[in-house]
Amino acid sequence: MKIVIVENPRPLTLEHYNDVANAPLSASLNSGYALAVSRRAGWEAVHLDFTSHAGDAAGMAGRIQSEEADLILFHWVYAWGHETVVRDLLELLCRERAVPLGAFGIFPTLARQRLMQYSPHLDFILNGEFEDTLADLLQDFSAARSIRPLPGVALRDHPVAARPLIGDLAHLPLPDDVGNNRGYPSLNIAASRGCFGQCSFCFIRSYYGCGRRRVRPPASLERELETRLARRDIRSIYFVDPTFIGHGGTERKRAVEIGRMAQRFGLPFGFETRVDTIDAGVMEILAAHGAESVFLGIESGCDSVLQRIGKRIGTEQIRRAVQTVRRSGVRLNLGFIMFEPDTCLAELEENYAFLEELELLDHHELTANLLYHNQIVLHGSMAWRRFKREKRLLLDERLPFEARYRFRDERVGLVCAAMGRLSAAYFGGMDTLRGMTGTAGREGCGVVGSASHEFSPDDVNALLKEAFQSLCAAAGNLSRQRFTTLEEGYRHSLLNMLS
């Protein structure tokens, strides 16, 4: 029997140009696991990637139908406003041939009930961690030729029975390298699943249905790396765990052991971890074993905000963690939510001062990111439920599964919108400039020539910082019209620098 795993269309739009990813990085492995599970069950498995397709549902439907599959399963990720294309695609597939249509992943799990209503041609959803559920479904379908109620399988008008999480992650099959992943020089791999954090903006706890973290034995990671590295040319490894390092001495030793393993393969590696797991000794050892980057979700420079969003860390911990990473020589990447929904203007200023203190606003690309990001609210998240309850959810019929919100302080909303437009102009201008020079935007200092004049990274960085400070100061003092004039002035100056 044959299954087709489909990546839904989700091309990036201008309004989402600088938004944080619409799914955890670990979702990049989902289709690869689904294909491997299907083959282990004795099925022929095909992967079709329509990630960058903006339309042409008929063309996509024809391509899927040409596979003559017995089952079609969509790895459906929040689609940045292209949900109607996927819905039309499902309708076309249903017209031509009665093949069960399903979906899996974080979006179908969290938005399960609404998605079933939105897309009437969707027959089932694999709820939460899907590998064991998919294996059981394929075995049962082979015998019954129909989708029947099983633990973890959500059907219309049927309550979904819970399925226990996988007890030993070493039993998972090795995921295929598919889609865009095949073209990247870095290999994504998961050394653990889940997170013990309680961040209000995150969906990982909701997806797995718990707040615990399960780790894989290093030996199983080594076996996976040996096989997957033989498939294609890889220059680095990236661990997609929500937190690569856990708490306690055993977890620190485990992280060191994995770093030593990566070194044996002769490959540098990167990872993500929580601020409260950073240890100076571990970072020094990991750096010696080839760690080249670490991502920390610091999220705010205000203790009041960190408490509101459930980060369970403080600004002093962040300072120590940033300094520790820098001393180790490992490149630091950051997650930061400048415009948290309940932020006041004083907290924006506190955020800015904190970033300056840590010397995190010294390069224009990082500055553009840190001075803009706001919280993304996706259907099924705790934030969606909260803002709906508080009547602060701002819905847009074009975006049925995502929403904006009313800021508690409307002046913060003004600054957020202005910085959003300014960052969009920056990233669009940088794309154009890179196309003309092939180098602009990657230079940390100096001057890069463009088609019409010289591009100065330092001048662009200074303008972004000045704009943020001026807009914050003006939000409480100027009329809406004068505020708009100020914003347009900065945008015009920025575009001139990048043209």
Side-chain angles (χ1 to χ4, degrees):
M1 302 192 77
K2 186 176 187 179
I3 184 172
V4 174
I5 309 294
V6 181
E7 298 291 339
N8 70 286
R10 45 185 183 270
L12 197 59
T13 60
L14 182 61
E15 61 191 310
H16 294 101
Y17 198 93
N18 194 34
D19 282 349
V20 176
N22 53 354
L25 190 56
S26 56
S28 65
L29 298 172
N30 282 352
S31 289
Y33 276 120
L35 289 162
V37 168
S38 300
R39 283 199 311 276
R40 178 188 275 183
W43 284 52
E44 181 184 356
V46 173
H47 182 255
L48 297 178
D49 188 355
F50 299 120
T51 303
S52 300
H53 287 58
D56 189 22
M60 287 184 279
R63 177 68 186 88
I64 296 170
Q65 288 160 355
S66 70
E67 294 293 339
E68 298 184 347
D70 299 287
L71 199 63
I72 299 171
L73 185 61
F74 280 75
H75 179 224
W76 198 340
V77 176
Y78 289 93
W80 291 151
H82 296 278
E83 286 85 359
T84 55
V85 177
V86 191
R87 183 172 60 180
D88 292 345
L89 174 55
L90 291 170
E91 181 179 357
L92 289 170
L93 292 171
C94 191
R95 283 182 197 171
E96 295 298 322
R97 186 164 167 249
V99 176
L101 303 172
F104 73 108
I106 191 163
F107 163 52
T109 295
L110 300 184
R112 185 180 71 248
Q113 294 179 340
R114 182 164 179 166
L115 183 58
M116 282 288 199
Q117 295 171 350
Y118 179 81
S119 184
H121 300 289
L122 194 61
D123 296 305
F124 67 95
I125 287 172
L126 306 183
N127 190 60
E129 189 173 61
F130 63 88
E131 287 87 357
D132 282 356
T133 303
L134 178 58
D136 286 354
L137 181 143
L138 295 178
Q139 182 180 10
D140 190 69
F141 187 86
S142 295
R145 295 298 194 271
S146 65
I147 305 296
R148 300 190 295 190
L150 294 168
V153 178
L155 302 174
R156 291 183 188 281
D157 304 319
H158 281 271
V160 58
R163 171 182 288 277
L165 294 175
I166 297 170
D168 185 355
L169 297 177
H171 292 160
L172 287 168
L174 304 186
D176 286 18
D177 296 305
V178 295
N180 291 334
N181 290 340
R182 289 181 301 181
Y184 297 149
S186 182
L187 180 96
N188 286 352
I189 187 170
S192 65
R193 284 186 174 180
C195 184
F196 42 73
Q198 295 181 332
C199 306
S200 63
F201 54 85
C202 182
F203 346 112
I204 292 172
R205 173 181 286 257
S206 298
Y207 177 68
Y208 289 112
C210 71
R212 67 186 178 92
R213 175 172 168 269
R214 292 162 292 150
V215 300
R216 289 178 60 185
S220 77
L221 286 173
E222 189 162 19
R223 288 193 298 270
E224 178 173 333
L225 282 171
E226 286 173 349
T227 300
R228 294 181 64 197
L229 292 175
R231 294 174 182 168
R232 58 191 177 96
D233 183 30
I234 296 297
R235 300 176 189 172
S236 64
I237 302 168
Y238 197 85
F239 294 97
V240 297
D241 312 36
T243 180
F244 177 70
I245 306 172
H247 287 140
T250 299
E251 279 294 328
R252 289 193 288 270
K253 289 179 182 177
R254 178 178 176 275
V256 168
E257 184 179 353
I258 294 173
R260 189 177 295 115
M261 176 192 68
Q263 186 180 38
R264 287 198 297 270
F265 285 101
L267 292 172
F269 62 95
F271 60 92
E272 305 183 4
T273 198
R274 283 178 54 90
V275 164
D276 54 6
T277 68
I278 290 293
D279 175 85
V282 172
M283 286 305 304
E284 288 179 9
I285 296 171
L286 291 178
H289 289 334
E292 63 177 357
S293 71
V294 57
F295 177 93
L296 296 179
I298 65 174
E299 312 310 351
S300 181
C302 306
D303 284 306
S304 55
V305 175
L306 292 169
Q307 185 174 3
R308 282 201 301 267
I309 63 178
K311 279 299 293 184
R312 298 192 300 187
I313 58 173
T315 51
E316 191 54 42
Q317 284 177 289
I318 294 173
R319 288 185 179 93
R320 289 197 300 268
V322 168
Q323 292 165 0
T324 297
V325 171
R326 282 177 168 159
R327 282 196 295 267
S328 74
V330 176
R331 185 175 72 253
L332 176 65
N333 298 318
L334 295 172
F336 199 81
I337 303 174
M338 174 61 77
F339 297 97
E340 186 267 335
D342 293 335
T343 298
C344 64
L345 284 176
E347 288 170 332
L348 291 186
E349 294 167 0
E350 190 176 345
N351 271 338
Y352 183 89
F354 184 77
L355 294 172
E356 279 280 61
E357 174 196 341
L358 295 183
E359 300 178 343
L360 294 170
L361 299 177
D362 291 345
H363 186 271
H364 55 93
E365 190 162 3
L366 183 58
T367 298
N369 275 290
L370 293 175
L371 296 185
Y372 164 61
H373 279 147
N374 64 330
Q375 185 174 338
I376 308 301
V377 179
L378 301 176
H379 189 275
S381 65
M382 290 186 290
W384 183 289
R385 293 191 293 273
R386 175 201 166 189
F387 294 128
K388 183 178 181 180
R389 183 175 64 249
E390 296 178 358
K391 302 187 186 308
R392 293 169 62 188
L393 206 61
L394 302 177
L395 300 176
D396 184 337
E397 62 181 14
R398 298 177 304 110
L399 306 169
F401 296 98
E402 58 184 284
R404 300 295 176 183
Y405 45 82
R406 282 194 296 274
F407 282 90
R408 192 169 295 280
D409 185 337
E410 66 176 11
R411 298 171 299 175
V412 172
L414 276 178
V415 180
C416 178
M419 288 304 298
R421 289 186 287 266
L422 194 66
S423 71
Y426 164 81
F427 285 107
M430 288 303 298
D431 275 355
T432 300
L433 196 56
R434 287 188 184 101
M436 290 189 294
T437 68
T439 58
R442 293 188 293 272
E443 301 294 332
C445 59
V447 178
V448 179
S450 77
S452 58
H453 61 83
E454 290 183 331
F455 162 75
S456 169
D458 289 342
D459 288 348
V460 170
N461 193 57
L463 184 139
L464 290 169
K465 292 165 64 173
E466 180 187 328
F468 180 86
Q469 292 177 290
S470 297
L471 290 167
C472 286
N477 302 319
L478 297 180
S479 67
R480 186 71 62 90
Q481 182 177 354
R482 292 178 63 192
F483 183 90
T484 300
T485 300
L486 181 67
E487 175 198 335
E488 289 176 348
Y490 280 115
R491 182 173 175 275
H492 180 73
S493 296
L494 178 62
L495 291 174
N496 278 342
M497 289 183 177
L498 300 177
S499 62

